[in-house]
Amino acid sequence: MTSIYFTSGSKIFRVSGREQDWSIKEIETGYDDVRAVAADELSETIYIGTFDDGLFRSRDNGESFEAVGEDALPKRIMSLHISPVSKRLYVGTEPSELHYSADDGETWAEMTALQDLPSKSEWSFPPRPDTHHVKDIASGIMDESFVLAGIELGGIMRSIDNGESFEDRKDGSQFDVHNVIIHPDDDNLLYEAGGGGYAWSDDKGESWQTDNEGLGDFTYLVHVAADPGDKDTVLVSGARGPASAYMPEREKTEMKIFRKQKDEPWQKVTEGLPDGKGTIVTHLLTSSDVPSVFYGVNNKGVYHSVDRGKTWMKVPVDFPAEVTKNKINSACLTN
């Protein structure tokens, strides 16, 4: 069974099922602004990061939550990542710090080398220019010492020694990082969605290339996903800019999804997807062991593709009205 968790306001929603048999469950967290979610279906554990209240853990699939890391972590939790190999939990915060726990949140360590990078004095989040945060985190599957921290706005910072040291951002990458992923079959292949478009690396982040051909003026990219069974098939979702990306009630809000194969230009995907106008940028999700399958989550619903993102169908669940009118901050998938 596939489960998709996403955040909206103070709530988490879990959409679970397969084929045409799906259900949606609403989980009230009790915290006003949930920014990040990560889940481990096998242990029935859910982690949520809040904007001002810290990190919380549920060990009963959302029936109850308890605070973790109160003495170790800042209160503004902006990103969460569970290592697919070690199950280590990574936490990104505002201001930008990267912490991890190897025992389900009981004890914590900070990767302090992130603070020593030369570009740190230039990091800045435009809506709150006096600060910045770790927007996304990725870790290697073949090499567990390989860790990426995406700073908004600052760039992708790379560690190849388990956080003992970090390398500063590279030319060719997007400095306004929104989403960075590592291909599940090859730690060398990295994909980035950023405020200036799409970037990729085939040498583990040593070097990067930007490729926006075919995106037109929809180069404000927020999410990226690669087919687990085909390294050359990539999807991105984006908007014309931040003012039209996130808030359903804004008149100018409009989202598009694009698909790319190998060296071909990006092609817009529309079949089975909602009208882009009034739709926020779609969170794109895959499962590492299920080739050709993509999921998308936005304020109009959950969407499913089984043909490498060419065509889509809506998952048969009804979204509450509050979700259709709200921003979705984070989403994750478990099998």
Side-chain angles (χ1 to χ4, degrees), residues 49-301:
T50 67
F51 190 61
D52 272 326
D53 293 305
L55 179 70
F56 296 85
R57 176 184 63 199
S58 171
R59 284 178 159 161
D60 50 16
N61 242 341
E63 295 299 321
S64 62
F65 286 90
E66 59 182 338
V68 291
E70 291 177 285
D71 297 329
L73 302 174
K75 294 300 183 184
R76 290 186 173 178
I77 309 297
M78 305 299 288
S79 53
L80 298 172
H81 170 71
I82 298 176
S83 164
V85 180
S86 67
K87 300 302 180 181
R88 172 187 281 188
L89 174 65
Y90 292 91
V91 174
T93 71
E94 178 178 298
S96 298
E97 296 178 9
L98 185 60
H99 299 253
Y100 71 90
S101 173
D103 54 11
D104 301 321
E106 295 300 317
T107 60
W108 293 90
E110 182 185 354
M111 292 181 165
T112 56
L114 190 66
Q115 309 303 319
D116 300 331
L117 293 168
S119 70
K120 184 184 175 183
S121 62
E122 302 169 14
W123 301 353
S124 176
F125 180 56
R128 298 187 295 278
D130 58 336
T131 190
H132 42 77
H133 51 249
V134 178
K135 177 65 174 178
D136 204 12
I137 307 162
S139 61
I141 294 178
M142 315 302 169
D143 177 5
E144 291 188 63
S145 66
F146 180 37
V147 181
L148 300 173
I151 309 296
E152 186 179 32
L153 187 156
I156 295 174
M157 312 304 166
R158 182 181 89 137
S159 175
I160 55 175
D161 57 8
N162 210 26
E164 292 297 316
S165 65
F166 276 89
E167 297 173 18
D168 215 329
R169 61 196 188 190
K170 312 286 188 182
D171 289 339
S173 63
Q174 294 292 318
F175 292 171
D176 185 12
V177 187
H178 294 144
N179 188 198
V180 58
I181 62 171
I182 302 172
H183 197 278
D185 278 345
D186 189 346
D187 282 353
N188 289 299
L189 289 176
L190 316 182
Y191 312 80
E192 180 193 7
Y198 169 75
W200 62 278
S201 172
D202 62 3
D203 57 9
K204 212 172 183 178
E206 286 274 4
S207 62
W208 291 82
Q209 298 182 56
T210 293
D211 184 357
N212 291 341
E213 186 181 1
L215 295 177
D217 56 354
F218 279 74
T219 54
Y220 185 85
L221 302 183
V222 183
H223 302 289
V224 60
D227 185 347
D230 179 3
K231 302 171 186 178
D232 294 318
T233 298
V234 186
L235 270 65
V236 293
S237 68
R240 290 188 173 93
S244 60
Y246 302 110
M247 304 305 293
E249 74 274 10
R250 291 180 177 172
E251 185 177 349
K252 63 176 66 176
T253 294
E254 183 178 4
M255 177 277 307
K256 288 185 180 180
I257 290 178
F258 294 86
R259 181 177 183 270
K260 181 180 180 64
Q261 286 193 292
K262 295 186 179 180
D263 297 326
E264 297 177 0
W266 292 99
Q267 300 288 328
K268 184 174 66 173
V269 177
T270 60
E271 187 173 342
L273 292 169
D275 185 347
K277 292 185 177 179
T279 304
I280 62 174
V281 283
T282 298
H283 293 253
L284 297 168
L285 303 167
T286 62
S287 176
S288 62
D289 57 354
V290 184
S292 306
V293 175
F294 290 85
Y295 290 90
V297 184
N298 56 47
N299 61 306
K300 302 289 183 66

